[in-house]
């Protein structure tokens, strides 16, 4: 029977290679710098503003046209005068409060 030698006694036959930490150079060479002129900053700011204006204009164009709501407003005012809205059900009050909350939160 033959037994091959695998490593040292105790299982410590492999020692990992020690790596040294990279040394930081003592002297610093010239450092690169970038400077942006005021004119370039102004042009970039104007370009950003133009992009925002284009986006808002696109949203306005895509928005559905507002209908004339003056007749609906007159009808609601008349109902308020007549007292039609004095005794609303809990379900109707919740529906109205949900619509008011969503309009304030910008969800409509």
């Amino acid at each position: 029977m033959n037994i091959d030698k695998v490593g040292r006694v105790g299982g410590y036959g492999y020692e990992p290679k020690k790596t040294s930490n990279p040394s930081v150079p003592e002297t610093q060479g010239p450092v690169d710098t970038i400077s942006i002129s005021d004119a370039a900053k102004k042009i970039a700011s104007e370009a950003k503003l133009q992009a925002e204006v284009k986006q808002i204009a696109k949203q306005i164009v895509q928005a559905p046209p507002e209908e004339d709501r003056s007749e609906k407003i007159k009808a609601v005012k008349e109902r308020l005068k007549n007292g039609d809205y004095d005794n609303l059900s809990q379900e109707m009050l919740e529906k109205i409060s949900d619509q008011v909350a969503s309009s304030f939160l910008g969800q409509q």
Side-chain angles (χ1 to χ4, degrees), residues 21-65:
N21 292 335
S23 61
V24 178
E26 293 180 19
T27 59
Q28 295 285 334
V31 178
D32 293 337
T33 60
I34 296 175
S35 62
I36 300 173
S37 67
D38 291 334
K41 290 178 185 177
K42 184 177 178 182
I43 290 170
S45 175
E46 289 174 358
K48 183 178 178 183
L49 184 61
Q50 285 179 352
E52 289 176 7
V53 168
K54 285 181 182 180
Q55 183 179 4
I56 292 170
K58 187 176 180 182
Q59 290 175 353
I60 290 172
V61 169
Q62 291 177 348

Side-chain angles (χ1 to χ4, degrees), residues 7-13:
R8 292 184 184 170
V9 175
Y12 295 105

Side-chain angles (χ1 to χ4, degrees), residues 41-100:
K41 290 178 185 177
K42 184 177 178 182
I43 290 170
S45 175
E46 289 174 358
K48 183 178 178 183
L49 184 61
Q50 285 179 352
E52 289 176 7
V53 168
K54 285 181 182 180
Q55 183 179 4
I56 292 170
K58 187 176 180 182
Q59 290 175 353
I60 290 172
V61 169
Q62 291 177 348
E66 293 186 22
E67 58 190 57
D68 184 24
R69 300 175 58 114
S70 60
E71 293 299 321
K72 289 183 180 180
I73 292 172
K74 286 180 185 177
V76 169
K77 285 182 179 180
E78 190 64 34
R79 285 182 164 182
L80 282 171
K81 286 181 185 176
N82 294 337
D84 292 344
Y85 294 122
D86 289 343
N87 297 319
L88 295 175
S89 67
Q90 186 65 28
E91 180 181 330
M92 183 59 77
L93 290 173
E94 288 177 7
K95 185 176 179 182
I96 292 170
S97 65
D98 288 342
Q99 288 178 352
V100 169

